[in-house]
Amino acid sequence: MLDCQTPKGQIYIKSENFVADKIEELSEGKATLIKFKELTSSADRFAVSTISNKKIALIEIKSRNLTKEKLEKDYNSEYIISAHKINRCLKISVENKIPFFIFVNLMQDEYILRMKIANAQGEIVIPHRIAKKTTQATCNGGSKVDSLYHFKTIPPCAYFINKS
């Protein structure tokens, strides 16, 4: 059974779908999000223009059991994500000639973090560093040592969207 199919995983899937709906709402009808079919895909969705029907962005949606304050204070205003996930998404971004974004639902708070990670050429456009660290393996627990990107959650590359 995949983690996304467990009861706890379903909470995170629901949170991801909430964020996708919010992104579509904020686009004011200019974009729709198309979910990847695979349960273990490299990214979550393509944003597709409702005018041209062309892919306009690659979107990875995450949910973290955090507040904005905890992210800023305990994580030095850095969002952390596996390097292998970022590297796969950069490849998809380049193949499709579209920018790559990450949205993070801060589940304990009223905010969604939005970060533009890379332009259509796959060049990372947000302040970052890479480091190895022990992290939780999945939403269901466990641990792993992983190479991680630490992305700064500061404007203009990142900002917080109010959920309401």
Side-chain angles (χ1 to χ4, degrees):
M1 178 183 290
L2 296 172
D3 281 294
C4 65
Q5 296 170 316
T6 66
K8 192 168 190 180
Q10 287 299 304
I11 293 169
Y12 284 84
I13 296 295
K14 184 178 178 183
S15 173
E16 175 187 309
N17 291 334
F18 167 81
V19 173
D21 291 344
K22 189 70 174 173
I23 294 167
E24 284 187 346
E25 176 189 319
L26 292 170
S27 81
E28 299 177 335
K30 295 176 186 156
T32 187
L33 300 188
I34 308 299
K35 188 169 184 159
F36 282 56
K37 290 180 174 71
E38 303 87 22
L39 285 175
T40 58
S41 69
S42 299
D44 291 313
R45 290 166 169 79
F46 283 116
V48 177
S49 167
T50 56
I51 298 165
S52 68
N53 203 33
K54 292 184 180 181
K55 294 174 187 170
I56 54 175
L58 177 66
I59 297 176
E60 175 67 14
I61 300 173
K62 294 293 190 186
S63 294
R64 294 293 183 259
N65 203 9
L66 288 174
T67 63
K68 180 177 180 267
E69 182 179 322
K70 187 172 179 75
L71 177 67
E72 292 169 346
K73 183 179 174 189
D74 295 353
Y75 294 91
N76 194 31
S77 295
E78 291 180 328
Y79 176 70
I80 303 166
I81 187 169
S82 293
H84 73 273
K85 170 68 88 171
I86 295 302
N87 294 335
R88 284 188 294 183
C89 288
L90 290 172
K91 184 177 178 193
I92 294 168
S93 173
V94 169
E95 288 169 356
N96 288 277
K97 299 180 176 80
I98 53 176
F100 166 43
F101 294 83
I102 296 176
F103 289 80
V104 183
N105 186 0
L106 301 177
M107 296 168 72
Q108 293 183 12
D109 216 341
E110 291 299 313
Y111 295 101
I112 297 169
L113 172 63
R114 176 207 177 264
M115 295 173 285
K116 182 175 183 181
I117 302 300
N119 61 24
Q121 293 76 42
E123 299 163 336
I124 296 176
V125 296
I126 185 170
H128 67 283
R129 63 187 176 92
I130 301 173
K132 279 197 174 193
K133 183 177 176 181
T134 300
T135 64
Q136 185 171 314
T138 73
C139 66
N140 290 300
S143 65
K144 65 178 178 177
V145 176
D146 202 358
S147 290
L148 304 166
Y149 274 87
H150 296 244
F151 292 112
K152 274 297 192 185
T153 60
I154 53 173
C157 299
Y159 64 89
F160 293 91
I161 301 166
N162 194 300
K163 290 183 200 175
S164 49

